[in-house]
Amino acid sequence: MSTFPKFDEANTGTLTTVLDWLRWGASQFDEAGLYFGHGTTNAWDESLFLLASAINQPWEMIDKIRQAALTPVEQKAVYDMFKQRVDARIPAPYLTGVAWFAGFPFKISQDVLVPRSPIAELLMKSFEPWLTDAPTQVLDMCTGSGCIGISVAHQFPESEVVLSDISEDALCVAEQNILFHQLSDRVTAIQSDGFDGLQSRTFDLIIANPPYVDAEDFADMPPEFHAEPRLGLVSGDDGLDFTRRFLSQVRDYLNPNGIVIVEVGNSCLALENAFPSVAFEWPEFENGGLGVFVLTKEQVDSI
């Protein structure tokens, strides 16, 4: 049974302004012990993000209206959003239907993971110093919402990008984002289990954010992660089932001078133990994150 305060109890007459509801929401989130990490890192920002969506205002403008009084209808909309976040433990972007990645908004649903890869930091630096020339053919494997590949298309205006995923439902979301970003002329979505549906195609840049969570870690994750599609998270006992298959095949799809960028998160140590002869390069991130490796064509061919 929910312990979240009833609306009549919450709306005692003291919660009237935007600031009142922001503070109250943050307090409720802290008290409930929510996990943050799907777009925000703390209760205040989570409260702001949800409130802005509930009253249909840009989140970056909320500070300018913090003393504005909410109407009764707006108060109920905010309350309902907060209650659902606490009771169902659903990550905030699923409730709003929007997530941000590399400075761009993306439509999302529970058919895809919430965008949050540290690959965004490499992308916004044009993958330098590993990528010396702008890529013309790009593959974003395990694309989910399409956020990585679509952001690459923005970063490299001359590129053609393929978004691939095994999930039809995920590809439906990716296709919505292709249209939303008006990139249908350069970005396509293809259903493929790994490389199986990409025969004869080769790429200058291959990026993958595959499932890489091991079974034990998944069981211990906060409830918010269990609201995401398991298919996009779990990959065998050590988290490397997909990555092993990927590394055994990628050489046939990478052009000369091309590079491969793959996120494996906390499974990075298991990966190095599984491939001791491979010189994985692990970039450091200014904005946090770990477990992303880079390989050149020469390194890929040596596997």
Side-chain angles (χ1 to χ4, degrees):
M1 177 178 290
S2 172
T3 60
F4 198 78
K6 294 181 180 179
F7 180 66
D8 289 342
E9 295 171 350
N11 186 20
T12 62
T14 60
L15 300 178
T16 58
T17 68
V18 168
L19 183 58
D20 290 337
W21 281 91
L22 278 176
R23 180 207 56 76
W24 186 80
S27 296
Q28 295 301 316
F29 295 165
D30 276 334
E31 183 177 337
L34 299 187
Y35 171 83
F36 308 108
H38 292 87
T40 69
T41 59
N42 58 79
W44 183 267
D45 288 346
E46 191 93 343
S47 180
L48 186 152
F49 185 63
L50 290 171
L51 181 145
S53 177
I55 66 173
N56 196 30
Q57 293 294 319
W59 62 266
E60 64 270 23
M61 300 296 292
I62 291 299
D63 193 54
K64 294 185 177 181
I65 60 171
R66 57 194 297 148
Q67 295 302 332
L70 296 181
T71 68
V73 172
E74 288 175 327
Q75 290 182 28
K76 186 61 164 60
V78 172
Y79 169 86
D80 288 344
M81 189 82 81
F82 288 173
K83 186 177 189 300
Q84 191 173 6
R85 176 67 181 93
V86 170
D87 287 351
R89 290 299 201 272
I90 297 174
Y94 288 147
L95 299 177
T96 66
V98 176
W100 288 77
F101 182 82
F104 298 103
F106 291 89
K107 299 177 182 294
I108 67 162
S109 73
Q110 286 186 251
D111 293 316
V112 300
L113 299 184
V114 176
R116 56 183 178 274
S117 173
I119 290 173
E121 187 175 316
L122 304 181
L123 191 161
M124 296 173 76
K125 296 178 181 178
S126 298
F127 302 107
E128 295 178 352
W130 303 280
L131 202 60
T132 56
D133 298 312
T136 57
Q137 300 294 325
V138 179
L139 171 63
D140 172 17
M141 183 175 286
C142 304
T143 191
S145 65
C147 62
I148 293 178
I150 289 171
S151 297
V152 169
H154 283 299
Q155 189 75 4
F156 300 104
E158 302 302 316
S159 64
E160 295 184 359
V161 180
V162 172
L163 313 178
S164 73
D165 206 290
I166 191 174
S167 167
E168 290 186 22
D169 293 333
L171 288 176
C172 286
V173 177
E175 287 169 347
Q176 291 177 41
N177 282 311
I178 292 172
L179 294 174
F180 178 67
H181 286 264
Q182 299 181 340
L183 287 169
S184 298
D185 58 329
R186 294 193 292 117
V187 181
T188 56
I190 297 176
Q191 185 177 17
S192 180
D193 180 3
F195 289 103
D196 291 351
L198 301 170
Q199 289 88 347
S200 78
R201 303 193 67 154
T202 58
F203 304 90
D204 307 308
L205 171 62
I206 297 176
I207 306 174
N209 184 10
Y212 57 74
V213 179
D214 64 59
E216 183 177 354
D217 279 352
F218 182 71
D220 293 337
M221 281 180 158
E224 281 82 354
F225 287 99
H226 291 261
E228 296 186 286
R230 182 186 175 96
L231 181 65
L233 290 171
V234 182
S235 190
D237 290 340
D238 64 356
L240 296 177
D241 283 3
F242 185 95
T243 304
R244 284 191 180 88
R245 182 157 62 99
F246 174 92
L247 289 174
S248 72
Q249 298 174 328
V250 65
R251 66 175 63 86
D252 295 329
Y253 300 87
L254 189 65
N255 288 331
N257 299 318
I259 64 168
V260 170
I261 297 175
V262 181
E263 180 173 348
V264 293
N266 291 334
S267 295
C268 54
L269 181 59
L271 181 68
E272 288 195 318
N273 290 336
F275 294 87
S277 64
V278 179
F280 296 103
E281 186 167 358
W282 304 96
E284 295 185 2
F285 295 97
E286 297 175 4
N287 300 317
L290 53 77
V292 174
F293 69 77
V294 181
L295 291 176
T296 64
K297 172 65 172 173
E298 182 179 3
Q299 291 169 322
V300 165
D301 285 344
S302 70
I303 298 175

